[in-house]
Amino acid sequence: MAREKDADGTVRGKPAHHPGTEAKGPTRAIVIVPVLTRQPRVEDDTSRPRLTRSAEARHDEAVGLTRAINLDPIHTAVVTVNDPRPATLLGTGKIEELAEIVKEGHAELVIVDHPLTPVQQRNLEKEFNAKVLDRTGLILEIFGERARTKEGTLQVELAHLNYQKGRLVRSWTHLERQRGGAGFLGGPGETQIESDRRQLQEKIIKLKHELETVRRTRDLHRAKRKKVPFPVVAIVGYTNAGKSTLFNRLTGAGVLAQDMLFATLDPTLRRVRLPHGTPIILSDTVGFISDLPTHLIAAFRATLEEVVEADLVIHLRDISDPDTAAQAEDVERILADLGVDASDDKRVIEVWNKIDRLDEGNRSRLLADAANGSKGPPIAVSAVTGEGIDALKAIIETRMAGELEDLTVTIEPAQFGLVDWLYRNGDIVSRTDNDDGSATISLKATASAREEIESRLRRKNSG
């Protein structure tokens, strides 16, 4: 979409022509990205100031979120807000200007990429004569459309109800009181708002009970996996970092992977055998995003427990994105909320994805800067081309099963059933067939594979 900048710094897209006789297509939307000049500094638990996102990056993300649910953003604008209005957030002049654009463009929806109070949302809807969604509402709409499993649907519905409960204040027109008691002697009864809120609360309680059942089922599945001790490796990252593409590359699965925000929502688990035979469970999780609504974090806690319980966490970054540092900070903040320390390089591996999109100069510079950092250098990969995937698999296997060790074993004729296992779980260096029918095999194997080999040989000898 072509964009132009006004004298006041507003970046806008040109409204599309609206032929009145065409068949109805995608919902026409206006996207507004308010930039508050006096926004207070927000710090995390380490008193480190948060990275400031560029207006351009925020704009592109807001448009991406809009298109993620097949809306047609016919006009976009980055609006500087010097003095946020309690009633409308935006100033009177800017509202009048945008209202005219909404009218001329026949827009049905206005998206404001900023949290709105219920009063601000209601007032803006009156001014624009169109439905208004803030950032939280838009993300909830995307999640609601993408949820496929019963668990995902329940989680989104719970988050939506919690969001709606706060929107009941003055957002209804039928606020007359329902008369209580009998005849004219009854008390004033409860307001319609109170009745609606009570009904919402009842639905919320019911959904929480259903989700608790889902959580117990997930706990049972997790307990069964622990009985067969396959380590769990969870992939986390900002939405559209390429998690599903990496998941497909490592597992051969067919998980939906598109260049789209929140292309996948429901978590997926697959068993993977690493190059030296180590089995793991790989988990693809929902993408994170800046200012992720607290309703969603709470509702998806059961799903995100897969991350909390994981033996190893892969923090995947889109290193080609100019906003990658701020995105990484947002992911680390959410991980911290879940009790996962992103600075623990024994449990968290930082992986830089999409290096195929970088030119050689930028790639060399980024890798050099990372190598000189306080943490170990990240793993650079391209989930699309496969570059760096072998190195990533090797590091995962080292973390899960230990470093490769040199090992020499002699297999007696009665133990030859182990030979095939050795070839599948180690790198065979040499094999010597002895005169007595035994075979001496030298190989490289992980520490856990060595322990398994020794255990199998003992069982064979004792049998």
Side-chain angles (χ1 to χ4, degrees), residues 41-204:
R41 173 183 291 183
V42 180
E43 299 184 349
D44 57 21
D45 294 338
T46 61
S47 298
R48 180 182 62 185
R50 294 184 64 170
L51 295 175
T52 302
R53 291 178 176 274
S54 66
E56 187 78 9
R58 286 189 54 201
H59 170 274
D60 291 345
E61 183 174 276
V63 173
L65 288 170
T66 303
R67 289 181 172 147
I69 49 174
N70 197 33
L71 299 175
D72 179 17
I74 62 170
H75 176 90
T76 65
V78 176
V79 179
T80 301
V81 181
N82 297 316
D83 185 20
R85 304 293 177 87
T88 56
L89 181 66
L90 307 177
T92 304
K94 181 58 66 176
I95 288 177
E96 291 176 354
E97 175 189 334
L98 291 170
E100 188 63 28
I101 294 172
V102 171
K103 181 179 179 180
E104 291 179 358
H106 300 273
E108 304 169 61
L109 178 65
V110 177
I111 294 169
V112 181
D113 189 52
H114 192 276
L116 293 176
T117 67
V119 171
Q120 288 172 340
Q121 182 177 359
R122 176 179 63 90
N123 290 339
L124 287 176
E125 286 181 342
K126 286 183 177 180
E127 296 289 345
F128 296 147
N129 194 29
K131 174 68 177 175
V132 173
L133 274 182
D134 66 359
R135 181 180 177 87
T136 300
L138 177 60
I139 294 174
L140 284 170
E141 290 294 330
I142 296 171
F143 274 44
E145 186 173 287
R146 297 286 161 78
R148 292 294 178 266
T149 65
K150 179 182 178 181
E151 179 182 10
T153 303
L154 287 173
Q155 289 172 135
V156 172
E157 190 175 353
L158 175 60
H160 223 136
L161 289 176
N162 277 313
Y163 176 72
Q164 288 177 347
K165 189 170 68 170
R167 304 276 126 178
L168 290 180
V169 181
R170 294 190 176 184
S171 62
W172 298 75
T173 57
H174 51 291
L175 299 183
E176 70 279 0
R177 286 186 176 271
Q178 300 171 338
R179 180 167 298 279
F184 296 98
L185 301 178
E190 63 179 353
T191 64
Q192 184 65 46
I193 265 187
E194 290 167 346
S195 174
D196 291 330
R197 183 175 289 117
R198 176 172 49 78
Q199 291 179 38
L200 277 178
Q201 188 61 35
E202 289 172 355
K203 290 182 181 178
I204 288 171

Side-chain angles (χ1 to χ4, degrees), residues 50 53 61-62 64-65 113 135 138-139 142-143 237-240 243 261-262 286-293 296-297 326-327 329-331 333-334:
R50 294 184 64 170
R53 291 178 176 274
E61 183 174 276
L65 288 170
D113 189 52
R135 181 180 177 87
L138 177 60
I139 294 174
I142 296 171
F143 274 44
Y238 206 82
T239 180
N240 212 31
K243 296 181 303 301
L261 299 179
F262 298 117
V286 63
F288 297 162
I289 197 168
S290 63
D291 303 317
L292 191 67
L296 277 177
I297 295 177
Q327 291 175 356
E329 188 178 85
D330 287 321
V331 172
R333 185 171 288 105
I334 295 173

Side-chain angles (χ1 to χ4, degrees), residues 414-430:
Q415 301 171 327
F416 261 50
L418 296 178
V419 173
D420 179 63
W421 191 92
L422 291 177
Y423 274 86
R424 286 187 289 107
N425 292 275
D427 287 338
I428 304 301
V429 177
S430 65

Side-chain angles (χ1 to χ4, degrees), residues 150-151 154-155 209-219 302:
K150 179 182 178 181
E151 179 182 10
L154 287 173
Q155 289 172 135
H209 284 312
E210 292 186 54
L211 275 172
E212 180 62 22
T213 302
V214 172
R215 187 191 67 80
R216 286 197 295 266
T217 303
R218 187 177 287 276
D219 286 344

